Amino acid sequence: DYELCEEWGHLYPVPREDLINFHREHLLHLLEMGDMEKALQLLQRIEDPGICLAISEQSLDQHPNLAASHFLADYLTAHFYANLTTARRNEIQALYIGSKVLLTLPELSRVNYFHLSSRPLLMLEQLLMNMKVDWVAVAVHTLHHLLAGQEIGFTVDDIDSLLSKYAEKALNFPFALKEKRS
């Protein structure tokens, strides 16, 4: 049905908004099916960069699954970096990095942290609070690698500060002094 609609759109004039809506639904369908190759081909077939940008951004704003969010954030960063505002660029890069960190977690646990995919620093803090130290180690390694030379609203120093804060709390033992009895 999508292919037929796409052919129809080449033969007859279709309003811009309808074209965007159609391609967005088609893209989301392909991404939900896990067919990243066809999704990329669809985006490459769209001749108007403005329409392609709108489709990609609207699809990302629909909060698709983890793999789809990662794909869209990567595509937007790679192809439309200059067309995005600084705030939107930071938001998309944070989502890309957050989804990359999520992909390092065990598959069954990803659903518990998916809502934090656009806030990787908060995700790291949640992992620390849940005492997932092994996962934190992998996440920190991934974040250090991904943050090299990028500006997304937080830095490696912010990660180090967060780790120091929780390390300090882990070593803080409240105790009461007992009196010596004679």
Side-chain angles (χ1 to χ4, degrees):
D1 291 344
Y2 287 119
E3 290 173 9
L4 179 62
C5 289
E6 191 172 338
E7 286 179 30
W8 186 272
H10 290 297
L11 298 173
Y12 299 98
V14 177
R16 187 177 197 275
E17 285 305 311
D18 291 341
L19 195 60
I20 290 171
N21 290 337
F22 158 71
H23 283 305
R24 183 189 67 237
E25 292 304 317
H26 188 190
L27 179 62
L28 287 171
H29 171 73
L30 291 172
L31 292 172
E32 290 297 323
M33 299 300 290
D35 198 342
M36 305 303 175
E37 186 62 36
K38 282 189 178 177
L40 183 59
Q41 290 170 2
L42 169 67
L43 290 169
Q44 291 171 341
R45 280 195 308 268
I46 299 168
E47 295 172 4
D48 184 344
I51 290 177
C52 192
L53 173 60
I55 292 164
S56 302
E57 277 196 288
Q58 287 179 19
S59 296
L60 186 63
D61 291 340
Q62 294 283 323
H63 304 290
N65 65 34
L66 176 61
S69 294
H70 186 72
F71 171 85
L72 289 166
D74 185 36
Y75 184 82
L76 282 164
T77 302
H79 293 88
F80 297 106
Y81 189 82
N83 301 66
L84 301 169
T85 64
T86 303
R88 183 68 169 159
R89 199 178 305 148
N90 288 347
E91 178 185 327
I92 290 171
Q93 285 181 319
L95 181 62
Y96 174 78
I97 288 173
S99 62
K100 194 78 163 173
V101 169
L102 267 177
L103 289 170
T104 67
L105 301 181
E107 192 170 340
L108 295 175
S109 300
R110 292 175 189 164
V111 69
N112 298 329
Y113 300 96
F114 181 73
H115 66 286
L116 299 172
S117 59
S118 62
R119 307 197 48 210
L121 203 55
L122 192 58
M123 184 189 317
L124 186 62
E125 186 167 8
Q126 187 69 48
L127 288 169
L128 284 167
M129 290 185 339
N130 290 341
M131 302 294 289
K132 304 295 184 186
V133 179
D134 294 338
W135 299 357
V136 169
V138 174
V140 168
H141 177 72
T142 302
L143 285 169
H144 277 268
H145 177 71
L146 291 172
L147 286 176
Q150 290 200 25
E151 181 59 43
I152 63 163
F154 67 94
T155 63
V156 172
D157 292 337
D158 294 326
I159 294 170
D160 293 343
S161 173
L162 182 68
L163 292 173
S164 296
K165 176 178 141 186
Y166 278 90
E168 182 181 316
K169 287 183 180 195
L171 296 175
N172 187 9
F173 297 107
F175 65 92
L177 292 173
K178 292 183 179 179
E179 284 185 29
K180 290 184 180 180
R181 293 186 181 181
S182 57

